Amino acid sequence: MQVEALENLTFIEESAKQFADQKIRPHFMEWDETQYFPIECMKELGAQGFLGVLVPEEYGGSGLGYQEYVSIIVEIAKVCGSVGLSLAAHNSLCTGHILSFGNEEQKQKYLPKLASGEFIGAWGLTEANTGSDAMRMQCVGVEDGDYYVINGTKNWITHGKSRDVAVVLVRTGESLDSHGITAFVIDGDTPGFTAGKKENKLGMRSSETAEMVFDNCRVHKSQILGEVGEGFIQAMKILDGGRISIAALALGIAKGAYEASVKYSKEREQFGQPIANFQAISFKLAEMATKIQASELLIRKAADLKNNKKKVTTVSAMAKYYASEVCVEAATEAIQIFGGYGYTKDFPVEKFFRDSKLCTIGEGTSEIQKLVISRNVLKGIG
């Protein structure tokens, strides 16, 4: 059974690698330069089964587990972090929230379309003044008969403009009350639900990041995910899985930078020999390889815990924290190995460098991960 599972994982990795080489590699720099969000590529990812990786087959998904999910993100991110980020956000946040907390009617309505790529999903928690401090959110929903009237803005939202559906966390109670936030699933064409500013970013430029604006947006109570007041608790659980996604994204970028560095160091000659022969370069590669291996082991452990429905908060935070920091380090060292060429857009490492930093910020900064880890360690929680 273990051999069969390994063969399946290898097949899925190869499928993702082939997709990335054929569908993404020829275009990723053009997409990055123009900040173009490749919706057509997302649709093809859906047709491949990569937008509903964790969704059961009964809802039109691939019915796979977290190990396969990690492998798919890694292979895509080795070529383009932006597409890897969009893939991760679509799967783990919007789709994952509906899968985890939606009722049967909501699952039947949204999951097949999200899994196929017919719908692009977004997830709205962050606001301009409430990033890590989410309980102070100012996007408010006021009860009005069978509806909630929502007003406010969500910022830094992946697919905030192109979304066909969004899961949105809204304050329906008192500020700072962990039971004062409710999750709604909102169709993109709902009156009063519009897109605001699209961000002009350092990296991940072809993964769309934009505001979502709510102006007297009336949402029926049937669109509530779970119960009123459960939104914040739901969001924290969703972020446990989301951290594995971002860790996998970081791992893919790090591997991409490392593999490019190994290849270049064997080809580039100075003083009559490949630069790989010099200890200054070979030791950099040794450190990159070791830390990447350590990252992957942490991520795979978190994925195993998640698959087996065990507590994963501490380990997923560790995986996300360590993998994202290693990603930045690996991308930085790749630039150094490439030298002046690494600073140009003729080689891929400058993009890995720009994309890498988001991994230490998105879905909880490194500082927040250390806060989560330290609190749980002191409580004796694994």
Side-chain angles (χ1 to χ4, degrees), residues 144-182:
D144 182 20
D146 291 334
Y147 291 81
Y148 273 83
V149 179
I150 300 174
N151 283 284
T153 303
K154 294 293 179 179
N155 296 68
W156 306 104
I157 308 303
T158 304
H159 312 148
K161 182 178 180 181
S162 298
R163 75 286 175 278
D164 297 288
V165 62
V167 173
V168 184
L169 284 301
V170 176
R171 182 159 64 81
T172 52
E174 295 299 317
S175 182
L176 299 179
D177 180 2
S178 62
H179 294 284
I181 295 171
T182 302

Side-chain angles (χ1 to χ4, degrees), residues 287-308:
E287 287 189 20
M288 290 164 73
T290 302
K291 291 178 180 180
I292 287 169
Q293 284 283 325
S295 296
E296 182 153 19
L297 287 170
L298 262 177
I299 294 165
R300 295 294 179 182
K301 179 179 180 179
D304 184 65
L305 291 172
K306 189 71 175 172
N307 278 344
N308 288 288

Side-chain angles (χ1 to χ4, degrees), residues 113-234:
K113 292 181 178 180
L114 286 164
S116 69
E118 180 181 347
F119 276 8
I120 302 297
W123 192 76
L125 175 65
T126 305
E127 298 177 8
N129 294 314
T130 56
S132 302
D133 189 13
M135 283 202 295
R136 295 182 192 271
M137 68 174 57
Q138 297 300 307
C139 187
V140 175
V142 177
E143 190 174 5
D144 182 20
D146 291 334
Y147 291 81
Y148 273 83
V149 179
I150 300 174
N151 283 284
T153 303
K154 294 293 179 179
N155 296 68
W156 306 104
I157 308 303
T158 304
H159 312 148
K161 182 178 180 181
S162 298
R163 75 286 175 278
D164 297 288
V165 62
V167 173
V168 184
L169 284 301
V170 176
R171 182 159 64 81
T172 52
E174 295 299 317
S175 182
L176 299 179
D177 180 2
S178 62
H179 294 284
I181 295 171
T182 302
F184 294 84
V185 54
I186 307 177
D187 291 295
D189 59 359
T190 303
F193 180 18
T194 58
K197 175 189 175 186
K198 180 180 175 180
E199 301 297 341
N200 184 6
K201 305 187 303 258
L202 168 72
M204 302 291 192
R205 288 168 61 82
S206 57
S207 178
E208 179 186 274
T209 305
E211 291 179 327
M212 295 194 302
V213 180
F214 300 90
D215 183 8
N216 291 320
C217 179
R218 292 176 62 81
V219 180
H220 195 270
K221 289 180 178 178
S222 63
Q223 299 300 101
I224 293 172
L225 290 165
E227 301 295 331
V228 172
E230 291 183 350
F232 183 78
I233 308 301
Q234 292 175 8

Side-chain angles (χ1 to χ4, degrees), residues 67-89:
Q67 298 294 1
E68 293 86 355
Y69 180 43
V70 165
S71 293
I72 291 166
I73 294 174
V74 167
E75 291 303 322
I76 298 297
K78 279 166 67 174
V79 174
C80 180
S82 294
V83 178
L85 173 60
S86 283
L87 173 71

